[in-house]
Amino acid sequence: MDVNQVLESTFSPDATARQSAEQQLAQAAEGNFSVYLQTLAQALANEKANAGVRQAAGLALKNALSSRDYTRLRDIQLRWLQRVESDTKTNVKQLALQSLASKDSRAGQAAAQFIASIAAIDIPQDYWPELMPALVENVGEGEDHLKMASLMTIGFICETDDQDLRDSLVQHSNAILTAVVQGARKDESNKDVRLAAINSLSDSLEFVRSNFENEGERNYIMQVICEATQSGDNRIEASAYGCLNRIMGLYYDKMKFYMEKALFGLTIMGMKNQEEDVAKLAIEFWCTVCEEEIAIDDDNAMATAEGSELRPFFNFARIASREVVPVLLQLLTQQDEDAADEDYNVSRAAYQCLQLYAQTISGDIVQTVLGFVEINLRHEDWHFRDAAVSAFGAIMEGPDEKMLQPLIKQGLPVLIGMMDDPVVQVKDSAAFALGRICENVSESIDPDEHLRPLIGALFAGLSSSPKMAGSCCWALMNLAERFAGDPGCQDNPLSPHFSESVQRLLTVTEGSDADNQLRMAAYEVLNAFVTNAATDSLPVVAKLSEVILERLEKTIPMQQQIVSVEDRITLEEIQTSLTSVLLAIVQRLEGEIMPAADRIMNVLLQILSSVGAKSSVPDTVFGVVGALANALDEDFSKYMESFTPFLYNALGNREEPGLCAMAIGLVSDIVRALNETAQPYCDTFMNYLLGNLSDKTISNQFRPAILQTFGDIAQAIGPTFETYLSVVAQVLQTAANVSMGENAAFEMLDYVISLREGIMDAWSGAIIAMRKEKPQLLSPYVESIFTILSVISQDPNRSEALLRSSMGVIGDLADAFPNGQYASFYRAEWVTQLIKDVKTNRDFQPRTIETARWAREQVKRQIIATQSSGQLS
């Protein structure tokens, strides 16, 4: 293999050449990993090589030692630790450090990423103690390009999410801080180096907590950063404000002195900076202040209730509000009329900050904002009108509703009137403000007085400009949700407007010339209206199903008319939107969908037959099929023969994880609907599910869902689950051995909890299936069931769902053996304590607490049964 040629092909514009090169690299890595690393490290360090080749070598090396998937990452790390010879590791590291010194910046950056990937494995093991001193030396004595590359390396290392590495970096805090502060000082003449140092300092702040506890060191760090905000270089100033944001988030309790002495003035000055990036990050500083104070307020309320220690709270936002809020209001007027929806500019940053300010200081913000609104609401310059409308909407969450109600009653007709403003930006902001009112203070809206003009204005806005689609649709969805009434109610405030609203939405979405963004947004509103329809509106929903089905049927021939990627994307978006509405209709009508069921399944099967590979449409189609199965119960069985080929194909499609996951969930829906009549399909279901479990390449996210599906199958087919019991029990016993370790990453923690939920759900289903006719088949597994229950009882990391399932298993197993055969297990102190913990937790849902009470009664019966039999004997 000509490594340079292969690496060059990895960034070829020819997709075939790229794919071939990537395959060759993968094969080389599998063939001899040590040689692969050494070869690429030499290519990275080769000063005579093409810059692109060196960069590609660094990227390939980084990818060889890192992964976003937790399981694959652990396999990669073991391969480095166990399969790569010590001499090779040393040589590869030396070549990587050598590459940092390259004058080719791309090679230096690639080397920095590679070094960070090695560090993630070696630093927690203390296998590379010389790395940090080498980087510090580079920053202190190296040429500018080496300083930058070394600082970049520190930044990449500190960006890690790996908990083991994060814990280990604390031990290196002095070295990290020495390097980054050295480069960040104002006497650093090279601005690029200073920028790299500030960026790395920001990345490392979490690991230098011990240094921040030292007042002298903290003062010096803060001095360096504050000086950087006045450097005269916009990049450095922006980075410095970003650094202050992180410091406020991490070290709020240490900030009182610095806020009083410098940060109030510096950040307000920064907010007024003409350079947008600087101003945005100065604004975000106050966003961080607000977020921290909201969080501290919540924590202290809980601490007060529990009688525990309160966190320091300095009221920074309230104290500074007289200076900060007027600046934010003025910044709202700096809108860019050409900005796209996703653009984040100064005006939008100010709006976000104003929202947070309202949540932080509540009613104290109202008078300042109202004064601005009153002055500018009729301003001849649309920027000021728009800012006034936006400001009013921004304070709809935070102040007491009683304070806002009279303002809304007075302002709502004015806002509705602003929907007729000649400038579309103002109309869009008015629609968004109306959405905020509907979302947060809907009780201030009088349905009899306001609902008709409000709905009319939003629909008029929806029809007038695609630019307003997002805001109008969001407001309408909020309105539908807030005025839905109680579940199953005969009528609600939307009822008088329901039929007309549905018709207007159908009109907006009709025709091939409709804007696709507008159409998709309108279908989402239709979804919300259907979901929240009162009983008296169900006849309209039933008629709507005919329109949606007709539109879906018309999309099927369109597959033959596709001539471009854009055509395919548009068609898929239309089909996805229509099937999403159909899903809402089926869920709302439930059993009343029966007359349309044949037609629904027919069109869904045609769609599944016509869509291409990698399409997103089948995901939504499967959702509709699941809802239909839930609505029809055993009557769904007549569709199984024609549908199962698509379901089996999705279950075996590991290249499309989203579709495969939907298919696993759909199996649960179907077996719950069919009950015993699902038996003929269960062999195939089980084969696919077990095959997915045994595939080591499959993502961990699938495994808990598969175990839960085992439980659903067991409950559905009852005693005939005996066929699969021993295999499933073995799988569950193996899964129960998976633990999270002392310093597990959050992803692993979440996975183990989900896995245990799946284990408990599977055992619950199996026990329920066997307990009446064949409880003796459960006997070999009782001890292992109690073993995993014991592990759950002792582990503080557990979810409510896991504990509810555990209560179910404890109770179901006791019910399966009513004569107290396993009372010795139930007498264990941890069983009583676990049930008590769940039963007395006020944060849990009533059904969880009720399940715990039921489990407690079953345990009592177990123990009483053995006492009674003992007395009789």
Side-chain angles (χ1 to χ4, degrees):
M1 177 178 78
D2 182 346
V3 67
N4 287 342
Q5 182 61 51
V6 173
L7 289 169
E8 195 168 344
S9 296
T10 60
F11 52 88
S12 167
D14 183 350
T16 305
R18 283 200 311 274
Q19 188 174 10
S20 174
E22 288 163 4
Q23 287 175 350
Q24 288 183 70
L25 288 174
Q27 289 168 2
E30 285 300 318
N32 190 322
F33 191 53
S34 294
V35 172
Y36 175 77
L37 293 177
Q38 187 131 341
T39 302
L40 289 182
Q42 288 168 349
L44 174 62
N46 184 1
E47 292 290 344
K48 296 180 180 178
N50 175 287
V53 167
R54 299 180 71 186
Q55 186 178 26
L59 182 61
L61 285 163
K62 176 189 80 79
N63 291 340
L65 294 179
S66 60
S67 174
R68 292 181 180 177
D69 181 79
Y70 181 82
T71 304
R72 175 167 161 71
L73 178 61
R74 286 295 177 241
D75 290 341
I76 286 170
Q77 291 175 339
L78 286 174
R79 181 162 64 168
W80 166 263
L81 292 170
Q82 297 174 3
R83 287 176 49 189
V84 179
E85 301 81 1
S86 179
D87 289 347
T88 302
K89 289 179 189 174
T90 301
N91 190 35
V92 165
K93 290 175 186 177
Q94 288 173 347
L95 289 168
L97 287 170
Q98 177 185 322
S99 302
L100 274 184
S102 175
K103 292 183 179 179
D104 181 341
S105 61
R106 286 194 292 174
Q109 182 173 348
Q113 291 177 304
F114 176 41
I115 290 169
S117 67
I118 300 175
I121 305 172
D122 276 7
I123 287 180
Q125 308 290 334
D126 200 23
Y127 286 163
W128 203 358
E130 62 273 18
L131 173 61
M132 285 300 177
L135 295 174
V136 173
E137 184 180 342
N138 289 348
V139 176
E141 301 176 8
E143 296 183 39
D144 287 348
H145 59 271
L146 178 57
K147 286 182 181 181
M148 286 181 60
S150 299
L151 287 165
M152 204 177 295
T153 305
I154 293 171
F156 286 143
I157 293 171
C158 292
E159 282 177 353
T160 181
D161 291 326
D162 187 287
Q163 191 58 50
D164 291 340
L165 178 54
R166 293 166 75 87
D167 293 341
S168 301
L169 285 175
V170 174
Q171 303 168 24
H172 298 277
S173 62
N174 287 334
I176 292 170
L177 205 55
T178 299
V180 297
V181 172
Q182 195 165 257
R185 293 176 303 179
K186 65 180 180 181
D187 52 0
E188 170 56 61
S189 57
N190 188 306
K191 292 183 178 179
D192 291 333
V193 171
R194 194 177 182 193
L195 175 62
I198 295 287
N199 288 337
S200 296
L201 176 57
S202 183
D203 290 329
S204 67
L205 283 167
E206 195 169 338
F207 311 110
V208 297
R209 188 170 292 276
S210 61
N211 305 86
F212 242 83
E213 293 293 332
N214 182 297
E215 185 179 357
E217 292 187 53
R218 183 172 67 246
N219 287 343
Y220 187 58
I221 294 168
M222 293 301 295
Q223 178 186 335
V224 167
I225 298 170
C226 289
E227 287 173 350
T229 66
Q230 306 301 302
S231 68
D233 184 297
N234 291 328
R235 301 171 305 155
I236 294 172
E237 290 181 8
S239 183
Y241 281 116
C243 208
L244 289 175
N245 292 350
R246 291 213 67 198
I247 289 172
M248 179 56 73
L250 291 167
Y251 303 108
Y252 174 93
D253 60 312
K254 301 284 190 295
M255 287 297 106
K256 190 172 187 294
F257 172 78
Y258 307 105
M259 289 292 278
E260 291 171 351
K261 295 297 182 183
L263 299 185
F264 277 120
L266 282 178
T267 52
I268 290 171
M269 190 189 312
M271 290 162 67
K272 298 175 181 178
N273 196 299
Q274 295 303 303
E275 175 58 38
E276 187 173 86
D277 287 342
V278 176
K280 284 191 298 187
L281 283 157
I283 294 166
E284 286 176 19
F285 174 83
W286 286 102
C287 290
T288 305
V289 170
C290 291
E291 287 166 347
E292 279 301 302
E293 296 199 331
I294 291 168
I296 292 170
D297 199 37
D298 289 344
D299 290 347
N300 285 349
M302 189 178 297
T304 301
E306 295 172 351
S308 54
E309 187 177 352
L310 300 182
R311 293 176 61 188
F313 185 76
F314 301 123
N315 262 318
F316 292 145
R318 196 178 304 275
I319 292 168
S321 62
R322 290 186 180 180
E323 288 76 30
V324 175
V325 173
V327 176
L328 292 173
L329 292 169
Q330 287 303 314
L331 292 175
L332 284 178
T333 66
Q334 295 186 14
Q335 310 93 323
D336 178 0
E337 59 187 307
D338 298 321
D341 290 342
E342 65 275 9
D343 289 349
Y344 182 65
N345 52 33
V346 168
S347 175
R348 287 174 181 169
Y351 179 82
Q352 178 187 4
C353 193
L354 196 63
Q355 281 183 302
L356 288 167
Y357 237 102
Q359 294 168 44
T360 308
I361 68 172
S362 305
D364 288 0
I365 200 172
V366 171
Q367 287 306 315
T368 305
V369 171
L370 279 186
F372 178 82
V373 172
E374 289 169 359
I375 291 170
N376 294 295
L377 197 59
R378 303 296 183 190
H379 202 287
E380 59 183 20
D381 184 337
W382 73 265
H383 293 84
F384 288 85
R385 294 199 305 278
D386 182 74
V389 170
S390 297
F392 188 77
I395 63 169
M396 288 299 107
E397 182 182 3
D400 189 276
E401 262 193 61
K402 291 180 181 178
M403 175 182 280
L404 292 176
Q405 275 182 357
L407 305 178
I408 292 168
K409 289 185 182 298
Q410 181 182 351
L412 199 57
V414 178
L415 272 181
I416 292 172
M418 298 293 283
M419 292 289 291
D420 292 324
D421 194 277
V423 178
V424 69
Q425 283 86 354
V426 178
K427 292 197 290 185
D428 187 41
S429 295
F432 196 80
L434 290 169
R436 292 270 296 168
I437 293 170
C438 294
E439 181 184 38
N440 297 298
V441 279
S442 56
E443 291 182 5
S444 302
I445 300 173
D446 183 335
D448 295 329
E449 180 184 351
H450 298 135
L451 216 49
R452 182 167 294 281
L454 177 56
I455 292 174
L458 291 171
F459 274 119
L462 187 61
S463 304
S464 68
S465 169
K467 184 175 176 60
M468 295 177 62
S471 297
C472 290
C473 288
W474 181 69
L476 286 163
M477 285 191 286
N478 285 335
L479 188 145
E481 290 166 7
R482 294 301 180 271
F483 290 98
D486 295 327
C489 59
Q490 177 60 32
D491 57 32
N492 62 26
L494 291 176
S495 294
H497 316 285
F498 190 85
S499 180
E500 183 184 354
S501 296
V502 167
Q503 191 53 53
R504 294 186 76 162
L505 287 165
L506 289 173
T507 301
V508 168
T509 55
E510 198 171 28
S512 57
D513 58 338
D515 179 84
N516 209 42
Q517 182 183 2
L518 170 61
R519 179 164 43 205
M520 289 172 64
Y523 277 131
E524 285 188 47
V525 179
L526 196 53
N527 245 332
F529 269 75
V530 169
T531 300
N532 296 292
T535 302
D536 65 352
S537 298
L538 293 188
V540 180
V541 176
K543 288 182 180 178
L544 174 64
S545 67
E546 297 176 13
V547 179
I548 298 301
L549 283 168
E550 183 180 344
R551 291 188 179 185
L552 262 177
E553 287 162 348
K554 288 179 179 177
T555 66
I556 294 167
M558 293 169 66
Q559 288 283 355
Q560 310 305 318
Q561 301 166 18
I562 291 173
V563 295
S564 66
V565 174
E566 288 74 18
D567 287 349
R568 182 174 300 282
I569 291 171
T570 299
L571 178 58
E572 288 191 0
E573 287 174 344
I574 293 171
Q575 288 183 326
T576 299
S577 295
L578 287 166
T579 48
S580 295
V581 176
L582 187 58
L583 172 60
I585 291 170
V586 173
Q587 289 173 330
R588 186 65 191 89
L589 291 179
E590 298 178 319
E592 293 180 34
I593 198 66
M594 174 80 78
D598 286 354
R599 187 179 177 190
I600 290 171
M601 280 305 295
N602 184 49
V603 71
L604 295 180
L605 291 169
Q606 287 185 67
I607 290 172
L608 290 173
S609 299
S610 61
V611 295
K614 307 291 185 184
S615 170
S616 60
V617 178
D619 292 29
T620 320
V621 170
F622 278 16
V624 180
V625 172
L628 199 60
N630 291 332
L632 301 182
D633 292 328
E634 284 89 347
D635 289 331
F636 185 79
S637 60
K638 65 179 178 178
Y639 306 117
M640 287 297 286
E641 187 176 346
S642 54
F643 175 66
T644 48
F646 298 104
L647 180 55
Y648 296 153
N649 183 59
L651 284 169
N653 189 350
R654 294 163 196 170
E655 293 181 2
E656 296 184 62
L659 182 61
C660 187
M662 282 292 297
I664 292 166
L666 184 51
V667 170
S668 286
D669 289 337
I670 288 173
V671 297
R672 284 199 300 263
L674 298 185
N675 292 315
E676 294 87 349
T677 56
Q679 173 62 35
Y681 309 99
C682 286
D683 278 355
T684 311
F685 287 158
M686 291 297 295
N687 284 336
Y688 275 110
L689 294 172
L690 289 166
N692 283 334
L693 272 181
S694 63
D695 185 346
K696 292 183 179 180
T697 65
I698 202 165
S699 172
N700 280 340
Q701 66 174 344
F702 288 85
R703 302 181 194 281
I706 291 171
L707 300 186
Q708 289 167 345
T709 304
F710 288 157
D712 290 326
I713 292 173
Q715 277 194 259
I717 64 176
T720 52
F721 189 73
E722 175 187 353
T723 308
Y724 317 113
L725 181 59
S726 62
V727 175
V728 169
Q730 186 177 354
V731 167
L732 297 180
Q733 288 167 336
T734 302
N737 292 327
V738 177
S739 61
M740 49 192 96
E742 291 184 12
N743 298 309
F746 175 78
E747 292 80 5
M748 186 62 180
L749 194 73
D750 191 46
Y751 167 62
V752 172
I753 292 171
S754 298
L755 191 68
R756 288 174 180 171
E757 288 174 12
I759 293 168
M760 287 295 106
D761 287 342
W763 276 127
S764 180
I767 294 165
I768 291 169
M770 299 295 154
R771 66 182 174 185
K772 289 186 178 178
E773 297 182 25
K774 301 178 180 179
Q776 71 280 3
L777 295 178
L778 297 169
S779 296
Y781 313 115
V782 171
E783 185 173 354
S784 63
I785 292 172
F786 273 93
T787 299
I788 181 62
L789 283 169
S790 175
V791 170
I792 292 168
S793 74
Q794 296 168 40
D795 194 330
N797 300 301
R798 53 199 192 190
S799 65
E800 181 181 351
L802 173 58
L803 291 172
R804 184 169 58 246
S805 297
S806 300
M807 294 299 100
V809 168
I810 289 171
D812 289 332
L813 198 57
D815 190 39
F817 297 97
N819 297 323
Q821 294 96 314
Y822 296 103
S824 59
F825 290 106
Y826 285 98
R827 287 196 182 96
E829 188 177 334
W830 63 262
V831 174
T832 304
Q833 188 60 48
L834 180 62
I835 294 172
K836 183 180 178 182
D837 289 346
V838 179
K839 192 174 65 170
T840 57
N841 192 319
R842 295 181 180 179
D843 294 329
F844 286 173
Q845 296 175 23
R847 68 186 182 119
T848 304
I849 295 169
E850 190 56 41
T851 305
R853 286 175 179 158
W854 172 78
R856 181 61 186 146
E857 290 305 311
Q858 298 306 311
V859 170
K860 285 180 181 177
R861 289 180 185 177
Q862 272 282 306
I863 295 171
I864 291 170
T866 55
Q867 291 172 346
S868 300
S869 62
Q871 290 169 358
L872 288 171
S873 63

